């Protein structure tokens, strides 16, 4: 049988077996009925045993026919898997990866991308660092593959995967009088001049929620538009602040004092997010898998720190 059977014949036979009708099989495969009949006739001759019986318009498979239909499905499954893995390897050799990171995620996102680019040097990657509004706009327009954010948006349907812890710690200049003190109460820390990120910052939201939860109002002495500006202001003696520990990645360990304050660190997560309707590219999927593997942390529920 093998020398005479073609994939085309098996494909037609599988469709007839599944749909129970020559007419429907010919429609599905965009073939004429005579072509379908002719191919099935040839197949039956090559196999040498009856494959089906015709009862009016209905086609009933014989046991031999059922076995052949099953064999055909297995062959197509194997071929599909093969085609997919070839496409996957090709995609990972030369695909594109477009990432967007919200401000503070810029402290770790390039490092993650760097690790991945070493594994797959052929990939063309881009990383845009921007603010929350632009992240939301890009998500709505389906422009980037993955987004690094500190809080998954609630008004867009997204798939959010926690990829890393994001502790928010209280920072002061190293010679600050509270440096080294244990369990400083929130009511005490709020008396310090606070330096705050701009409105809309995820870090700021998290800090304000923490104080609100204790019914304490916090009045920033100064608002600054970036973590770097906040750090400079702390060192200039203008006040204290709180921010992601990741924002200190490149600072010498003793440049700032981390204050031991009640309720801190605020335990948040970084998420890799994409719109729920989007089919991730092979490259984006591989990148997400890479992030999960390096983290190996149990998935955490989404943080609910939107105001
Ligand atoms: P941000 O960081 O404070 O720069 O907005 C994002 C977040 O922590 O949610």
């Amino acid at each position: 049988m093998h020398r005479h059977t073609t994939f085309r014949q098996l494909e037609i036979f599988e469709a007839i077996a599944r749909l129970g009708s020559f007419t429907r099989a010919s429609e599905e495969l965009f073939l004429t009925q005579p072509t379908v009949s002719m191919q099935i006739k040839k197949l039956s001759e090559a196999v040498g045993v009856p494959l089906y019986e015709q009862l009016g318009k209905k086609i009933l498979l014989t046991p031999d026919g059922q076995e052949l239909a099953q064999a055909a499905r297995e062959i197509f499954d194997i071929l599909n898997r093969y085609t997919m893995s070839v496409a996957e390897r090709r995609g990972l050799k030369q695909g594109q990866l477009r990432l967007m990171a919200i401000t503070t995620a810029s402290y770790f996102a390039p490092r993650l991308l760097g690790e991945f680019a070493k594994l797959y040097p052929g990939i063309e990657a881009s990383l845009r660092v921007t603010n929350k509004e632009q992240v939301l706009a890009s998500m709505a327009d389906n422009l980037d593959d993955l987004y690094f954010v500190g809080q998954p948006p609630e008004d867009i349907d997204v798939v959010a995967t926690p990829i890393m812890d994001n502790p928010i710690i209280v920072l002061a200049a190293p010679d600050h009088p509270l440096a080294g003190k244990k369990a400083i109460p929130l009511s005490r820390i709020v008396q310090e001049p606070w330096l705050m990120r701009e409105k809309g910052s995820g870090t700021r939201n998290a800090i304000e929620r923490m104080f609100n939860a204790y019914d304490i109002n916090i009045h920033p002495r100064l608002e600054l538009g970036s973590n770097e500006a906040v750090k400079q202001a702390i060192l200039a003696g203008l006040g204290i602040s709180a921010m992601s520990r990741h924002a200190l990645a490149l600072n010498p360990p003793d440049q700032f004092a981390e204050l031991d304050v009640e309720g801190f660190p605020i335990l948040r997560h970084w998420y890799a997010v994409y719109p729920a309707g989007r089919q991730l590219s092979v490259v984006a999927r591989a990148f997400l898998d890479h992030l999960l593997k390096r983290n190996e942390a149990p998935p955490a529920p989404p943080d609910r720190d939107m105001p």
Side-chain angles (χ1 to χ4, degrees), residues 102-104 150-151 166 197 201-203 268 270:
I102 199 161
T103 25
T104 300
Q151 53 196 42
N166 178 21
R197 286 279 306 281
S201 140
T203 311
R268 303 175 72 218
W270 289 113

Side-chain angles (χ1 to χ4, degrees), residues 13 20 50 63 102 105 119 125 127 129 146-147 173 181 187 190 206 224:
F13 185 68
I102 199 161
L119 292 174
L127 170 67
V129 177
L146 282 173
Y147 301 81
K181 293 263 187 307
S187 53
V190 77
L224 298 141

Side-chain angles (χ1 to χ4, degrees), residues 45-170:
E45 283 167 10
V47 178
V49 290
L51 298 173
Y52 63 91
E53 288 165 30
Q54 189 146 11
L55 292 178
K57 285 205 154 179
K58 195 109 186 87
I59 301 295
L60 285 183
L61 296 194
T62 62
D64 286 327
Q66 283 171 3
E67 214 175 302
L68 182 60
Q70 186 53 34
R73 279 175 202 133
E74 283 169 21
I75 290 169
F76 293 133
D77 278 352
I78 291 169
L79 283 176
N80 279 341
R81 279 206 297 278
Y82 171 75
T83 313
M84 263 162 60
S85 73
V86 168
E88 218 162 285
R89 280 195 295 278
R90 191 183 308 140
L92 283 175
K93 276 198 189 118
Q94 45 175 244
Q96 284 198 342
L97 181 61
R98 282 158 310 175
L99 305 174
M100 204 179 214
I102 199 161
T103 25
T104 300
S106 64
Y107 288 98
F108 67 86
R111 187 159 37 87
L112 302 183
L113 185 54
E115 291 169 7
F116 188 69
K118 265 196 206 119
L119 292 174
Y120 302 105
I123 284 172
E124 219 177 276
S126 70
L127 170 67
R128 293 193 287 158
V129 177
T130 177
N131 63 19
K132 185 164 140 197
E133 266 128 72
Q134 283 180 353
V135 166
L136 292 178
S138 165
M139 257 188 223
D141 291 342
N142 227 340
L143 291 181
D144 292 85
D145 292 311
L146 282 173
Y147 301 81
F148 292 120
V149 298
Q151 53 196 42
E154 292 185 342
D155 36 6
I156 303 181
D157 196 11
V158 294
V159 179
T161 312
I163 51 160
M164 210 188 274
D165 290 343
N166 178 21
I168 307 286
I169 58 175
V170 182

